[in-house]
Structures are given as structure tokens and as C-alpha cells.
Amino acid sequence: MTQDQLGDLLARLSDPVGEVDLAERAWAAAVRSRRRRRRTVLGAVATVAAVAAVSIGIGVLPDHGRPAAPLTPGPASSSGASWQPGRSLLVRGASVTTGPRPDQIDGLTELRPGIPAQIGWTGPAERLPTLATAAGPTTRVVAAMTGRVKGVHVPVLLVRDSRSLAERYVQVQVALSPLGGTGGDLSIGLDARSIDPTGTRVVYVQADRVLIADASSGELHDVRLPSRAGSLTGGGFTDSGRVVVTADDQAWSISGQGTDVHQVPAGTSTVSARLVGDGARPQVIGYTDAGLPATKVPVDLPLEASWGASVGPRAWVATGALVDQRRLPAAVSVNGLFVASTRGTDLRAVLLMDDRTAAMVSGGIRATAWVDNVVIFQYSTDGRSWLLGWDPFKDKVYKISGVTAAVGGTGTRSQAVAVWLDNPVP
Amino acid sequence: MRAETDEEFARYVGARQHQLLRAAYLVCGDRALAEDLLQGALAKLALRWERVRDDNPDAYVRTILYRDAVSSWRKRRRELLVEAVPERADHGWADAGVADRLDLTAALDALTPKQRAVVVLRFFEDRSVAETATALGVGEGTVKSQTYAALERLRTVVPGLVVQEDDR
């Protein structure tokens, strides 16, 4: 075979590629790109000018002169530099925004929904007091994560006295085991609904048992399910304060005190809707108030595999997921935060999160909670982790907290932090 | 930059887009992705159209397209990498037709992204070693070695494939 014959064969291989007309689309994309770049430059110039004017007029406030961050929920933006990406792409009706790079996160506008700007105990967990020493009727769990005691993972909680607002880290003295971990990473069984709606209890789902820590009493409920339950895969609190845990083809409901354990229909969920896509076409699954699947609606989003939990009010739902690169142009990321309407097609949006330095999935992304119209999610890459917020309606990304807690591996179901906001998680 | 499409740009794209789309498809192996890649490359060309139109728009857009295609395909390929070379269909290479195309598809899948781009540039676009090196941003020696390695790899999947190389 000659070069020409190989060329002919390649030509035949590409014969099925049909005709396209890309001139207008490409030109329009270029015009949008030029306008966006101009807006970015003008915005940066205006920001620099404003900062200079403020600095000259009133001087720079010392750190200790800053007022304490408000503890009430809701967007309370600081005057920090904001990040305005604009909508960069449109994929069959879904808007796609490229999110900030890791080095841009510190410059994002801050959002204070009632949790500290830094989460995580950096020292050895054995130095932490136990939950019992901090327990009381006004003690609430603000964030849940893990720590290590002599090589063993234990629950570490950030608790707050709701009267004095004093916060402290405590440990729960129980060894955590992996929950279906992959690649040697510990999947610690924390999810978006791991803290109950009142902030009083936190649940860690293990493969063979359910651990419920109570911040008001300091007790730990170690719930063993019947052997027929099989290996558990996840779970969390319902609105009414019960725990629902799932196995492959079973689900179990447990009271917040760890009693009254009974099997419930398979597929029972603690959320009103989930956005899922695991190989099949992405779909929004709607659930009844009893947590049973009621509707399944296909949704056109470039979502390949959803990771972690879905969060959102009833009108829409958000989840972290792997981006389907067959549906997006080159040089875009592999991590995405996806939102979709549960009532139609009026909201379909993707926030791409990628540090653009790795050729593979470089970090984790998990939907964690929501406040007003802001999805709160955990983003981890290159050994760093943050809680960020995204308002898909305003196309704004906020910085909420830095996370120094141990971060799970890429692609695992682990989540380093579960958070409780002052308003109940719906 | 005007909002309405430049007429000369539209004529250029109209004349070249089909061939470029076929090339992008051969490099990335995905019709939708190829279209997205080409649109992205053409949008970048549009941004520089005033400066490039009288020079060599083909070389400019080809450079962007191939480098983006290799970059994109490399990312996707990491997720799909398999150890074993795909099984070869049980038929002779001399049979032209669907079976050959299937064989060649499997063979191309066994190449690295850069090898695949080299094969498409050299044998589909009929570009010289020098032009291929410019498009991919590598040296001519790299193009020659990648061509050799690619053809060797193709022969492992399609033993009947014996391509006479030249030094164009």
C-alpha cells in the first residue's frame, strides 16, 4: 500500500462527515469573545481605580479593625474584587460558564452564609476535646469532617454554642472505616444531608453501620442494621429529622436517636429531586414527600457522571459531575457544577471548574448545600479545597470558606466537609 | 470588529470548512467534537482575520485546529486508555470497503494523539514534513520519528499495511 492509498482510505473514513456552515457561528463567537475581553479589561481598570481612590481617601483598615462576619444567612458580599466570567458558551440551550482558576479564588467576592471563612482542624485530632465536653442544649454542629488519631480516621466536628456563638473543634471517639472507597481513598460517608435540619445531629454512614452523633447530649448512636441490609452506600437526614440510608437495592429509615429502624422502599431519597447521569442520559428524578421516586425527566446537559449529592429547592436541582467532553469544545474542564430546572427547561446551566494544568480530572467537586439562589459546593484541586458559591441566575461565583480538612481523592464519593447553615437545609 | 460576518471570511470558510472538518474528525474520532474544535479554530481565525487574511490563513487555522485537537483528544484519551490493542477483524487488507474502514479506525485508536495528527497531516492532508512540523509546533525530526512509530503501530493492527515512506 502506498501513501496515496492510505490517504484514500483516510478520506473514505471521513466521508460520513457531513456538510456544515460554520462561518457565521465562528464570526459571532469571535465577536462575543472580543466584547467579553473588553468588558473584563474595563472592569479591571475600574476596580483598580476604585481601590486606589478608597485607599487614598480613608487609608487601609488594619485586620483587627474589620467587623466580624455576620452570622446570618444570605448573600452578604464583601467589597473584595469580584469575578465576572460572563456566559462563555451555549450548548443546546444550556449556558456554560468557565469558573475561576484556583489562583483567582482568593479574589472572589466573599459570601457569609453563617460558617467561618476557614474550616478544618490542622493539628492531630487526639488533641481535640471530645464531643461530650462541648455538648449542651444550645450546641449545634456547623461543619462535619474527619481527622486522624494514630492513623485512624475519626469524626471531627466544628460545633457552635448558639447563644454565645463560641465555636470549637471536637472529636468523636469512634474509628471510621471506608465506605466503598476507591483507589485507596477513604470515602467517609458524609453527604449534603449529613447534618440534620436543626444542626443537632450528624450522621456518618459506614458500610456496615450508621453512626449518629448528638451535639446536644454528646452521645454517639452506633446503629447496626440487619445483616440482610448488605453494604450501605450512603444516606442522610430527611426534613423531619429521620435518617435514610441506602444499599444497592434497599433503603432503611432510622430515627434521629438511632432507634426505630425499619426498611423502606428501595430508591427512597432524602431530597425532593436529584440530577443524575451515570453513563445514561442525564435526568432529573423527582421524589414525593415520602422520598419515593415519582418522575424521571431527561435533561439535555453535557453531564457524564454525577458525583455526590444533589441539592436545591424544589424548583431546581444542582449536582457536581464529570463533564461530558464529547459535548463541549476542546480545552475545557472535566469538573462541573450542573443545575437544572425540575419544572421544565427554563434553567440549564453548567459551571466548569478546572485548574487547566492537568490532563485528567484534577480535583473533586461536590454540591454541599444552597442558600437563596446560591449553590454551595466544595471544590478541591491540587491538594487545596474551598467552599464556593455559585448563583446560576446572576452568574456569580463567591468564595465562602477555605477548607483545610482532609480531602478525599478524585472521583471518589468522599466529601471532606458537610456544613450546616443557620437556616434549615430544605 | 464588525458584528456582521466578513464576506471574505465567509467565502474562505465556505471553501475550506469541509476538508478541515474531515481532518478534525480523523484526529479526534468524534463528529460533534470535531465540529466544536473547528468552530473554535475558526473563531480564533476571525479574531485575527485582518492580519492573517493576506498572509496564510490555512496555516494559521491548521495550527490552531491540530494543536487543540491533540490537546483535547489527549485529555479524553487518558480516560479511555486501554492496554490491549483492539482485535483485528478476520479479513484481508486488500478488501476495500467497510471492513477496511473499521480496521483503520481501530488502528488509529491505537495511536497517540500526536501520532494520529501526524498521520492525518501527512497522508490525508498530504502535507510535507516541514508543514506538518509547523502545524504541530515540533521539529522535523520529531515528525519523521512520529511517522515511523505511527506506521509501525498501524502495522501491528493491520499487518497488511505497508506504506512506502518518502522524505517530502
Side-chain angles (χ1 to χ4, degrees):
Chain A
M1 172 171 283
T2 65
Q3 288 191 11
D4 287 343
Q5 286 172 314
L6 176 58
D8 288 344
L9 198 52
L10 287 167
R12 287 212 305 278
L13 193 63
S14 63
D15 271 344
V17 175
E19 297 285 342
V20 289
D21 187 2
L22 293 174
E24 289 195 2
R25 282 158 56 185
W27 191 270
V31 170
R32 285 197 303 274
S33 169
R34 176 67 53 86
R35 287 175 180 164
R36 195 163 51 244
R37 193 178 306 170
R38 187 173 297 143
R39 279 200 304 270
T40 303
V41 171
L42 290 175
V45 170
T47 303
V48 169
V51 169
V54 169
S55 301
I56 292 169
I58 63 173
V60 179
L61 285 175
D63 281 355
H64 61 267
R66 290 178 184 159
L71 292 173
T72 51
S77 300
S78 75
S79 58
S82 62
W83 172 77
Q84 292 280 8
R87 295 275 157 85
S88 55
L89 298 161
L90 200 65
V91 178
R92 293 184 190 134
S95 68
V96 182
T97 298
T98 302
R101 298 189 308 268
D103 62 346
Q104 294 175 316
I105 289 175
D106 283 343
L108 296 175
T109 299
E110 293 183 356
L111 182 71
R112 289 277 165 265
I115 52 178
Q118 193 69 32
I119 296 175
W121 173 257
T122 54
E126 58 259 39
R127 294 186 190 165
L128 290 173
T130 63
L131 174 62
T133 64
T138 57
T139 303
R140 298 289 179 269
V141 179
V142 176
M145 62 213 87
T146 63
R148 274 177 178 250
V149 175
K150 296 175 182 171
V152 176
H153 287 268
V154 299
V156 169
L157 309 178
L158 173 62
V159 297
R160 175 192 298 152
D161 186 302
S162 56
R163 282 182 304 195
S164 68
L165 301 184
E167 294 173 342
R168 61 196 292 196
Y169 287 93
V170 298
Q171 62 162 307
V172 181
Q173 291 177 302
V174 61
L176 294 172
S177 56
L179 172 61
T182 57
D185 294 305
L186 180 68
S187 182
I188 57 177
L190 281 174
D191 217 329
R193 286 190 164 240
S194 290
I195 303 175
D196 86 328
T198 68
T200 308
R201 300 188 177 97
V202 57
V203 61
Y204 285 76
V205 180
Q206 302 281 273
D208 58 350
R209 58 181 177 160
V210 180
L211 302 169
I212 305 172
D214 190 321
S216 61
S217 67
E219 294 175 340
L220 175 70
H221 307 297
D222 188 347
V223 183
R224 304 273 176 171
L225 297 181
S227 57
R228 68 178 188 279
S231 184
L232 301 176
T233 55
F237 281 96
T238 66
D239 289 349
S240 65
R242 289 187 70 86
V243 173
V244 169
V245 294
T246 55
D248 287 338
D249 56 354
Q250 299 179 31
W252 297 77
S253 178
I254 308 164
S255 73
Q257 295 78 29
T259 57
D260 183 25
V261 180
H262 62 265
Q263 192 169 356
V264 292
T268 302
S269 174
T270 58
V271 296
S272 59
R274 290 171 62 213
L275 175 57
V276 297
D278 294 310
R281 186 175 179 186
Q283 57 183 348
V284 173
I285 303 175
Y287 294 88
T288 65
D289 289 340
L292 295 172
T295 57
K296 291 184 178 180
V297 179
V299 55
D300 192 7
L301 276 170
L303 183 162
E304 189 165 322
S306 48
W307 291 343
S310 293
V311 298
R314 287 185 178 273
W316 53 269
V317 61
T319 189
L322 185 67
V323 173
D324 182 352
Q325 291 203 307
R326 293 166 300 185
R327 299 278 309 279
L328 286 175
V332 295
S333 67
V334 286
N335 272 313
L337 184 62
F338 292 73
V339 301
S341 171
T342 60
R343 295 169 180 166
T345 58
D346 56 319
L347 174 62
R348 275 181 290 151
V350 188
L351 178 71
L352 302 171
M353 297 297 295
D354 180 18
D355 69 5
R356 299 173 181 81
T357 59
M360 296 183 68
V361 177
S362 57
I365 189 165
R366 301 288 187 278
T368 302
W370 63 275
V371 177
D372 296 337
N373 286 331
V374 178
V375 187
I376 296 176
F377 64 102
Q378 184 172 352
Y379 174 60
S380 307
T381 186
D382 195 24
R384 303 176 67 192
S385 191
W386 302 267
L387 283 178
L388 305 177
W390 178 38
D391 185 336
F393 301 95
K394 294 181 181 173
D395 203 21
K396 291 272 289 181
V397 179
Y398 304 92
K399 180 185 176 186
I400 296 173
S401 300
V403 178
T404 52
V407 178
T410 298
T412 71
R413 289 170 293 177
S414 62
Q415 179 169 319
V417 167
V419 293
W420 175 73
L421 308 175
D422 282 347
N423 56 333
V425 177
Chain B
M1 188 175 192
R2 293 180 306 162
E4 61 273 18
T5 309
D6 182 278
E7 286 184 15
E8 192 182 347
F9 176 81
R11 279 198 298 276
Y12 167 78
V13 173
R16 297 290 295 124
Q17 60 189 358
H18 186 57
Q19 178 73 2
L20 290 168
L21 183 62
R22 294 174 73 176
Y25 170 75
L26 288 171
V27 176
C28 73
D30 182 286
R31 169 72 168 77
L33 179 60
E35 195 173 317
D36 289 334
L37 284 167
L38 180 55
Q39 183 180 323
L42 292 173
K44 289 175 184 172
L45 175 67
L47 284 170
R48 295 177 61 91
W49 182 243
E50 289 303 320
R51 274 175 282 184
V52 176
R53 65 199 304 170
D54 296 326
D55 188 10
N56 189 352
D58 262 3
Y60 184 80
V61 77
R62 192 184 299 119
T63 297
I64 295 170
L65 180 63
Y66 275 89
R67 292 184 190 181
D68 284 356
V70 169
S71 168
S72 163
W73 197 68
R74 181 181 288 133
K75 280 189 177 184
R76 293 180 56 221
R77 190 171 166 77
R78 290 281 187 89
E79 306 282 334
L80 303 170
L81 200 62
V82 293
E83 296 246 335
V85 176
E87 290 287 333
R88 189 170 76 87
D90 185 20
H91 59 79
W93 176 252
D95 298 332
V98 174
D100 285 348
R101 291 203 292 271
L102 291 176
D103 255 0
L104 189 59
T105 300
L108 289 173
D109 282 344
L111 303 182
T112 68
K114 192 156 283 179
Q115 287 171 351
R116 195 164 166 146
V118 165
V119 166
V120 175
L121 274 163
R122 295 289 318 279
F123 303 118
F124 175 69
E125 293 229 54
D126 201 25
R127 296 292 159 190
S128 67
V129 171
E131 288 172 319
T132 302
T134 301
L136 296 176
V138 299
E140 293 186 18
T142 302
V143 171
K144 290 179 180 176
S145 64
Q146 292 283 311
T147 304
Y148 178 81
L151 294 178
E152 282 294 298
R153 196 82 186 266
L154 291 175
R155 286 185 194 110
T156 66
V157 182
V158 188
L161 180 61
V162 182
V163 177
Q164 303 299 319
E165 295 171 61
D166 60 34
D167 290 329
R168 285 182 299 169

